[in-house]
Amino acid sequence: LGLSVMIRRSPAMEDGIRIAGAAYLAWLGFASLTASWRSRGSPVTETAREGPIRRASFREGLVVNLLNPPIATFYLAVVPTFMPAGASARYYVLLAGIHVLMAFACHATWALGLDRLRGWLHEPWVPRTLAALTGGSLLFLAWQVSRG
C-alpha cells in the first residue's frame, strides 16, 4: 500500500521501477544465455537422483510454499469469500483442504509427466536449448517492459 501511494504521487518512480525490472529481466536473460553456451550437460538432472539432494529439495519447496506471501494472502483473503454467512471454521478447513488436494493432484501430474521425460531431458542438448530459449524469452520480455 505504501509503495502504491508513492507511485501515485510520483509517476517518475513508476518508470524507475519499470526500468529496474526490465534491467533485472535482461540480466536474468543474459545469465541464462551464457549458461546455455557454457553448459556441457545438465548438472540438475544428474544430482536429482541422489537421495539427500531429493530430500533437501522437498524441504526447500515445502518451506518456500509455506512462507510464500501470495499463498497466505490467498487463504486469508480469497478463501473466506467463498464461505456462506455464518459458516463454521470447519467449512473453511474443508475449502482449504479441497484447494490443497487440487494443488497436490496438479503437481503430482506434473511430476509424473516430467519423470516420463527424464531420459529425453538427460540429453546434453535439451537443457542447453531450454536455457537458450528461456534467455531469449527473458530478453524479449525485458525489451517489452522497458518500452512501457
Side-chain angles (χ1 to χ4, degrees), residues 126-138:
V126 173
R128 292 181 71 182
T129 302
L130 291 175
L133 289 172
T134 300
S137 298
L138 287 169

Side-chain angles (χ1 to χ4, degrees), residues 109-119 121:
T109 301
W110 277 107
L112 291 172
L114 291 173
D115 185 56
R116 297 221 176 232
L117 294 174
R118 186 186 321 206
L121 292 172

Side-chain angles (χ1 to χ4, degrees), residues 31-43:
S32 186
L33 285 174
T34 302
S36 74
W37 292 324
R38 292 183 182 163
S39 177
R40 295 182 191 252
S42 176

Side-chain angles (χ1 to χ4, degrees), residues 20-110:
Y24 180 64
L25 288 172
W27 177 74
L28 289 174
F30 281 120
S32 186
L33 285 174
T34 302
S36 74
W37 292 324
R38 292 183 182 163
S39 177
R40 295 182 191 252
S42 176
V44 174
T45 56
E46 292 304 315
T47 58
R49 293 186 211 162
E50 300 171 19
I53 291 174
R54 290 174 68 181
R55 283 189 291 279
S57 297
F58 176 80
R59 189 171 44 251
E60 285 178 26
L62 181 64
V63 169
V64 165
N65 276 288
L66 291 176
L67 299 178
N68 190 349
I71 297 296
T73 301
F74 176 79
Y75 284 109
L76 294 174
V78 177
V79 172
T81 63
F82 291 96
M83 295 178 60
S88 69
R90 288 183 178 161
Y91 194 80
Y92 178 84
V93 171
L94 174 68
L95 290 177
I98 290 170
H99 177 257
V100 168
L101 287 174
M102 289 170 56
F104 180 79
C106 178
H107 294 301
T109 301
W110 277 107

Side-chain angles (χ1 to χ4, degrees), residues 18-19 21-30 135-148:
R18 183 175 44 78
I19 296 300
Y24 180 64
L25 288 172
W27 177 74
L28 289 174
F30 281 120
S137 298
L138 287 169
L139 289 173
F140 177 74
L141 186 58
W143 176 68
Q144 291 285 28
V145 168
S146 70
R147 292 178 44 204

